[in-house]
Amino acid sequence: MDKKTNTEKFRASYQFFLEMQEKRMLFSSEDISRATGWSKSTIKTYRSKKWADILISKSNKMFMANLKAYTEDAYVRMMSQNYKQSIDPFRPELSECVEELVVKARDCAILAIDIYNRPIAAFRSQGYIVLMIIAWTSLFHAIYEQNDDDYFYKDKQGNPMLIDGDKKAWELDRCIDKCDNMISEAVKQNLRLFILLRNKIEHRYVPAFDLDIFGECQAMLLNFETLLTDKFGTYYALNNTLSFPLQISSTRNHEQTKAIKKVESKHYLELKNYIDSYRTSLEDTVYADNQYSFRIFLVPQMGNHKNSSDCAIEFIRYDPEHPEEFDAIKRNIALIREKRVPVANQGKLKPKMVCDKLSKRLGITVNLTLHTSAWKYYGVRKPGEQDNCKVDYCQFDEAHRDYVYTQAWVDFLAERLSDPVELEKVRNFR
């Protein structure tokens, strides 16, 4: 007596069809019956209700198998009498909580792209960034939930912290800190840039800056889909529902860009300097990585024949390590390479900046007089001796003929001057 369950018979039929497909062999209903144990009437029912797109009829009641993209698990779900499973067999089997988080992440990403691609929206990049931060956060939460990892904050007693009655989950910055090698350093730095920009967007006026961060925006999206499909399969992929946005001009000329930014020039320059400073602080390997900023060239294609005009856009990745691969086309296009300009004295501080930082950290007024006493007391430099500085704390700026200080100097003073006795010694030093 055949004691196979329906699921076992489903899997047996899948393996039979797969073998026939790989060997390109014809088979009959009797062959299916011998492989599975199903009766002829059951096979006839499945032929009409389940296998219409799998079995290809040939002569003399023979068939060929075409499983297409079915995995064994997807095939079993398709064969199931459970309507929800059979109608959508490629949908991954996730817990209710995980699925809700994945759908939330995907929907937020689609909304972000929709806002970014609207031609008349004035808040495009800002809206895109806020929604993509939510998308990334939900994606991390879904992964942690799937892995049974605890991603909620705890109080001192080890109990979940509550916000309006709900457990407080990690924000994106914390998720990045805890994700180990789940994503590369370039992806992490890309996300950290947008976390900083999101904070500015939420709490103050931010001008339009679409042109300045296009590469980072594109990389943020591609990285999101890569992680989404790696962890939850291609069912949730975005690329099946999206197309490349249409462009109304090849480039903006200088005067157009200048006019757009003129009204908000002060705010724009502050933000532009902020972004440039962040980019300059990155390691060259991170900055050059397409996972940090996606750089593409759009090459016009001459579609003289229908077979050569399936796509109007060709994406070409530039690989700095293999420039010879670009030789064949570089005569026909102009390469516009993003340029990072080195910033002089990056991260260095003037005395007044040191005082402001110390005042905030120590909770007292630190003026230039106290700072002068401090560098004399600790001997980080000597008056009139430009080359006699402790470079970890102080350096002479040849171009401006003055001295600049480091963050290490601020940290050193913050620790030493937090002692009231030490502070009084420095105040009285001459």
Side-chain angles (χ1 to χ4, degrees):
M1 183 175 179
D2 190 358
K3 296 182 179 180
K4 284 184 179 179
T5 64
N6 275 341
T7 299
E8 289 173 335
K9 291 180 179 179
F10 294 156
R11 295 191 182 279
S13 66
Y14 178 86
Q15 291 299 327
F16 174 76
F17 291 148
L18 183 63
E19 181 183 359
M20 295 298 101
Q21 176 179 285
E22 291 175 347
K23 294 180 178 180
R24 298 185 179 181
M25 291 178 60
L26 296 176
F27 54 91
S28 65
S29 295
E30 288 76 11
D31 294 326
I32 300 174
S33 179
R34 282 191 292 272
T36 62
W38 281 322
S39 66
K40 289 185 178 180
S41 61
T42 299
I43 292 173
K44 184 177 180 180
T45 300
Y46 284 145
R47 278 175 52 193
S48 62
K49 292 186 176 181
K50 298 290 188 179
W51 296 337
D53 63 339
I54 292 178
L55 297 188
I56 303 172
S57 295
K58 297 294 181 179
S59 59
N60 299 323
K61 298 182 180 180
M62 302 295 283
F63 305 96
M64 285 189 70
N66 181 16
L67 287 170
K68 298 182 179 178
Y70 281 103
T71 63
E72 185 170 337
D73 288 338
Y75 174 85
V76 170
R77 287 194 291 270
M78 182 272 293
M79 293 292 292
S80 171
Q81 293 183 350
N82 182 310
Y83 177 79
K84 184 178 179 180
Q85 288 187 354
S86 63
I87 198 66
D88 197 1
F90 295 101
R91 190 187 193 99
E93 292 190 77
L94 304 174
S95 70
E96 182 178 358
C97 182
V98 172
E99 184 174 38
E100 287 176 352
L101 289 166
V102 171
V103 171
K104 174 186 174 183
R106 186 177 186 274
D107 286 352
C108 281
I110 291 174
L111 283 172
I113 300 164
D114 178 54
I115 289 175
Y116 191 87
N117 288 340
R118 291 183 185 180
I120 61 173
F123 201 69
R124 295 192 306 167
S125 291
Q126 295 93 326
Y128 172 87
I129 291 169
V130 171
L131 284 168
M132 282 303 297
I133 291 291
I134 298 173
W136 268 97
T137 305
S138 296
L139 178 56
F140 273 120
H141 288 175
I143 295 170
Y144 292 137
E145 185 72 28
Q146 178 85 330
N147 296 338
D148 290 326
D149 293 331
D150 190 353
Y151 56 98
F152 297 97
Y153 283 102
K154 300 291 193 296
D155 60 22
K156 293 181 179 179
Q157 287 72 42
N159 300 315
M161 295 177 63
L162 300 180
I163 301 294
D164 296 330
D166 296 320
K167 291 193 293 184
K168 182 182 179 182
W170 292 345
E171 70 283 350
L172 181 56
D173 199 33
R174 184 65 175 269
C175 289
I176 296 170
D177 288 339
K178 296 293 185 178
C179 75
D180 296 326
N181 296 323
M182 191 187 303
I183 56 176
S184 70
E185 184 62 25
V187 177
K188 292 179 182 179
Q189 293 300 337
N190 173 275
L191 290 176
R192 293 194 191 282
L193 170 64
F194 286 110
I195 291 171
L196 295 171
L197 292 176
R198 188 278 313 272
N199 294 340
K200 288 182 174 291
I201 291 167
E202 287 187 352
H203 300 294
R204 68 204 74 172
Y205 169 74
V206 174
F209 57 109
D210 301 350
L211 298 177
D212 299 294
I213 57 167
F214 172 79
E216 282 93 344
C217 284
Q218 185 66 68
M220 186 189 202
L221 177 62
L222 295 177
N223 298 337
F224 173 85
E225 182 169 50
T226 296
L227 185 60
L228 176 67
T229 54
D230 282 351
K231 296 298 183 180
F232 299 106
T234 57
Y235 178 86
Y236 293 105
L238 303 176
N239 57 14
N240 293 328
T241 61
L242 303 174
S243 60
F244 192 83
L246 298 176
Q247 306 296 313
I248 60 173
S249 64
S250 58
T251 59
R252 276 198 181 101
N253 63 39
H254 175 71
E255 292 303 318
Q256 286 176 309
T257 304
K258 183 178 178 181
I260 290 172
K261 297 171 180 175
K262 183 177 181 180
V263 175
E264 46 197 23
S265 58
K266 179 182 177 182
H267 296 285
Y268 171 77
L269 287 175
E270 290 176 354
L271 184 61
K272 181 68 167 63
N273 290 337
Y274 184 83
I275 296 171
D276 288 343
S277 178
Y278 183 87
R279 289 170 174 162
T280 305
S281 69
L282 299 174
E283 295 289 338
D284 288 343
T285 53
V286 171
Y287 181 77
D289 195 319
N290 271 341
Q291 290 186 319
Y292 170 74
S293 180
F294 186 73
R295 302 162 179 87
I296 61 172
F297 299 101
L298 301 184
V299 182
Q301 296 293 297
M302 300 302 294
N304 294 326
H305 305 284
K306 64 179 182 180
N307 291 335
S308 65
S309 59
D310 293 333
C311 183
I313 298 171
E314 180 180 354
F315 290 87
I316 300 173
R317 293 176 182 265
Y318 176 75
D319 186 352
E321 295 183 1
H322 300 283
E324 69 279 358
E325 296 177 0
F326 229 64
D327 290 342
I329 61 172
K330 68 182 181 181
R331 292 188 300 272
N332 300 319
I333 63 175
L335 304 186
I336 304 174
R337 297 286 306 278
E338 190 172 356
K339 183 179 181 183
R340 279 202 300 172
V341 179
V343 178
N345 291 327
Q346 180 73 23
K348 302 300 187 298
L349 306 168
K350 288 192 172 185
K352 180 63 166 63
M353 298 167 69
V354 174
C355 293
D356 291 342
K357 284 177 173 287
L358 288 172
S359 297
K360 186 177 295 185
R361 288 178 63 170
L362 296 173
I364 62 174
T365 300
V366 178
N367 54 29
L368 291 175
T369 301
L370 178 56
H371 180 257
T372 300
S373 297
W375 64 254
K376 290 180 178 179
Y377 182 83
Y378 295 111
V380 299
R381 71 180 180 89
K382 294 183 179 180
E385 298 184 23
Q386 301 167 3
D387 298 329
N388 198 358
C389 296
K390 292 183 179 179
V391 295
D392 289 342
Y393 298 142
C394 176
Q395 297 169 22
F396 182 72
D397 184 350
E398 183 70 32
H400 299 95
R401 310 296 299 173
D402 59 7
Y403 293 89
V404 291
Y405 298 86
T406 66
Q407 182 61 42
W409 172 239
V410 175
D411 297 336
F412 173 82
L413 287 182
E415 179 182 356
R416 293 301 184 91
L417 301 185
S418 61
D419 180 354
V421 176
E422 184 87 355
L423 174 60
E424 195 61 27
K425 289 180 181 179
V426 173
R427 283 189 191 279
N428 296 329
F429 185 80
R430 291 293 182 266

